[in-house]
């Protein structure tokens, strides 16, 4: 079995994955949403301290699950990049300690590759080639995975990410953190009324560039909030209208870019398209991409909702592939990095 560790942002998580059939045997995760909520975003220093407290706490639970017997473990896997250095280091220290004490090899996993493997938890045969829309708090990308090691970046954000823009909209409206589920719920409430929401521009609408941008939309929402609350505080209906209008434009932008991708020659070789990452939980995005996939004859793959946001199960699943080709990192060379390494993507 592989013991995997995830601490790249604000989730402390551990998992046990069986190598032979990729079965997830144990999974535990403690999120820090509540602790960061009052700040409207993740505070790295607080996140790091909470990992230092909680990783040992959940390791004790895993130890009980294993009856104090670690002999079934064959490797330790850990998210080493990209992410917040001060939180990654907490997971890395635990991984190195376990690897050293138990004489096990260490596997360093790129978090974004981990998100791709959230599709194949409990499934021993990953599907390649695969087109992927990765939408998280830190990234918005279209990737094309030809094999487990050859993953090409087709498009990425010029500035902010899809998930982060939901967080910022929620912050500007004082709605809490993480913004994704909150803004989605507000938008859904407004949609029920069948009225037209506050209209925002669709980013890069006139551009042919296969890239994403959310900073302009984020700013348009910020300005609308200032304007609409000039004379009196925003009513619930205004808040919901802004959330619905923002979500509509953000999803329309993603949809336009995915459509552009489906029209490129390289997309012709893929039959499967997936949405992964924390923001892949967005229902509107799922529905709109689903109908686009039908139009372009692609089969849509989605991870179960519980594995969309950060978790160690996806890290353990990705690590099986590394274990099979003995892609181990010597303890003295294992380092954390805030960004992906140049060799991670082609
Ligand atoms: O992948 P993830 O758990 O962490 C990172 O790797 O960043 O993604 C977290 C992001 C947050 O920005 C959160 O607001 C967003 O995913 N998110 C959503 C939804 N649920 C979570 N964004 C839009 N709609 C949602 N339903
Ligand atoms: Zn993530």
């Amino acid at each position: 079995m592989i013991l995997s560790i995830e601490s790249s942002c604000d989730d402390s998580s551990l998992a046990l994955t069986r190598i032979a059939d990729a079965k997830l045997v144990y999974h535990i995760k403690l999120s820090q949403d509540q602790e960061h909520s009052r700040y409207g975003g993740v505070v790295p220093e607080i996140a790091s301290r909470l990992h230092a407290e909680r990783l040992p706490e959940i390791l004790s639970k895993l130890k009980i699950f294993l009856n104090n017997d670690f002999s079934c473990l064959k490797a330790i896997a850990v998210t080493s990049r990209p992410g917040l250095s001060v939180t990654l280091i907490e997971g890395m220290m635990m991984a190195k300690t376990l690897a050293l004490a138990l004489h096990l090899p260490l596997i360093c996993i790129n978090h974004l590759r981990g998100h791709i493997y959230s599709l194949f938890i409990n499934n021993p045969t990953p599907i390649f080639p695969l087109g992927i829309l990765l939408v998280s708090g830190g990234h918005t990308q279209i990737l094309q995975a030809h094999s487990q090691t050859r993953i090409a970046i087709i498009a990425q954000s010029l500035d902010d990410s899809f998930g982060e823009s939901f967080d910022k909209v929620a912050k500007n409206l004082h709605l809490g953190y993480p913004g994704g589920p909150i803004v989605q719920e507000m938008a859904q409430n407004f949609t029920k009324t069948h009225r037209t929401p506050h209209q925002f521009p669709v980013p890069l609408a006139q551009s042919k560039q296969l890239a994403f941008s959310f900073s302009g939309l984020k700013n348009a929402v910020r300005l609308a909030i200032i304007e609409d609350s000039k004379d009196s505080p925003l009513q619930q209906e205004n808040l919901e209208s802004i959330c619905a209008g923002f979500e509509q434009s953000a999803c329309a932008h993603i949809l336009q870019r995915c459509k552009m991708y489906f029209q490129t020659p390289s997309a012709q070789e893929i039959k499967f398209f997936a949405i992964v990452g924390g923001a892949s939980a967005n229902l509107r995005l799922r529905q709109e991409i689903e109908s686009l996939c039908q139009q372009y004859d692609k089969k849509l793959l989605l991870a179960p909702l519980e594995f969309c946001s950060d978790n160690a199960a996806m890290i353990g699943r990705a690590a099986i592939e590394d274990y099979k080709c003995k892609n181990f990192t010597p303890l003295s060379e294992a380092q954390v990095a805030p960004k992906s390494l140049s060799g991670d993507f082609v």
Side-chain angles (χ1 to χ4, degrees):
M1 266 192 305
I2 294 181
L3 189 163
S4 54
I5 306 170
E6 161 64 39
S7 69
S8 66
C9 190
D10 60 342
D11 294 292
S12 316
S13 180
L14 298 177
L16 291 172
T17 310
R18 203 155 64 196
I19 295 167
D21 57 1
K23 187 175 170 0
L24 178 63
V25 176
Y26 182 84
H27 177 229
I28 185 162
K29 161 168 153 167
L30 289 180
S31 297
Q32 307 173 359
D33 294 348
Q34 251 185 326
E35 286 80 0
H36 299 290
S37 187
R38 57 191 284 222
Y39 305 102
V42 176
V43 183
E45 173 65 24
I46 296 176
S48 167
R49 285 193 213 180
L50 288 170
H51 284 303
E53 254 171 58
R54 292 176 182 181
L55 284 173
E57 200 179 307
I58 55 178
L59 184 64
S60 307
K61 295 203 169 129
L62 183 142
K63 225 172 115 191
I64 294 169
F65 176 79
L66 286 176
N67 285 325
N68 282 335
D69 179 6
F70 286 110
S71 62
C72 59
L73 298 183
K74 295 282 178 275
I76 306 293
V78 64
T79 304
S80 61
R81 60 190 185 276
L84 299 169
S85 299
V86 290
T87 63
L88 286 165
I89 200 96
E90 296 296 333
M92 180 59 85
M93 282 196 299
M94 175 174 273
K96 283 189 179 183
T97 308
L98 287 169
L100 194 66
L102 301 170
H103 305 286
L104 292 172
L106 180 70
I107 300 172
C108 290
I109 299 288
N110 178 303
H111 179 79
L112 305 179
R113 195 170 142 255
H115 272 302
I116 299 175
Y117 277 90
S118 66
L119 300 164
F120 308 120
I121 291 168
N122 287 318
N123 176 354
T125 29
I127 296 172
F128 296 113
L130 175 66
I132 302 144
L133 169 68
L134 188 151
V135 275
S136 70
H139 294 80
T140 305
Q141 297 179 324
I142 295 174
L143 303 167
Q144 190 161 321
H146 301 276
S147 68
Q148 82 111 355
T149 47
R150 220 158 68 80
I151 305 172
I153 299 179
I154 306 287
Q156 54 192 332
S157 181
L158 303 171
D159 41 61
D160 307 315
S161 78
F162 179 73
E164 198 253 340
S165 62
F166 277 75
D167 296 333
K168 281 288 147 57
V169 169
K171 184 178 180 176
N172 285 328
L173 293 170
H174 308 288
L175 295 174
Y177 172 86
I182 305 171
V183 171
Q184 167 172 294
E185 200 188 329
M186 301 281 275
Q188 280 170 337
N189 286 344
F190 190 85
T191 311
K192 281 186 213 143
T193 67
H194 300 290
R195 306 222 325 269
T196 308
H198 201 305
Q199 294 295 294
F200 293 105
V202 175
L204 303 181
Q206 308 307 323
S207 161
K208 294 213 167 9
Q209 195 181 358
L210 190 38
F212 298 99
S213 169
F214 291 93
S215 64
L217 174 60
K218 239 171 63 176
N219 199 38
V221 175
R222 190 181 65 82
L223 295 175
I225 295 169
I226 295 172
E227 179 64 27
D228 290 6
S229 54
K230 231 171 28 201
D231 302 323
S232 57
L234 290 175
Q235 301 299 305
Q236 181 70 8
E237 196 190 319
N238 304 118
L239 296 176
E240 291 177 352
S241 173
I242 289 173
C243 289
F246 156 74
E247 188 187 57
Q248 186 177 57
S249 291
C251 289
H253 173 43
I254 299 252
L255 213 73
Q256 280 182 359
R257 266 47 211 176
C258 288
K259 193 169 175 180
M260 260 187 193
Y261 164 60
F262 285 163
Q263 289 168 349
T264 61
S266 67
Q268 307 316 309
E269 22 171 310
I270 61 126
K271 292 193 177 65
F272 293 89
F273 188 69
I275 324 177
V276 300
S280 70
N282 187 274
L283 289 177
R284 180 173 191 147
L285 185 69
R286 283 179 170 223
Q287 280 161 5
E288 293 186 358
I289 298 280
E290 168 90 75
S291 45
L292 189 75
C293 282
Q294 277 169 8
Q295 221 180 309
Y296 283 86
D297 205 20
K298 314 282 183 209
K299 186 166 169 18
L300 180 64
L301 302 182
L302 295 164
L305 275 179
E306 66 171 312
F307 299 126
C308 288
S309 57
D310 293 347
N311 65 83
M314 67 187 195
I315 303 303
R317 177 62 192 87
I320 290 184
E321 307 301 326
D322 294 85
Y323 183 83
K324 283 183 192 156
C325 50
K326 295 196 164 31
N327 188 14
F328 305 137
T329 307
L331 294 192
S332 57
E333 287 172 27
Q335 282 180 359
V336 300
K339 297 227 178 322
S340 292
L341 300 179
S342 55
D344 289 349
F345 298 99
V346 293

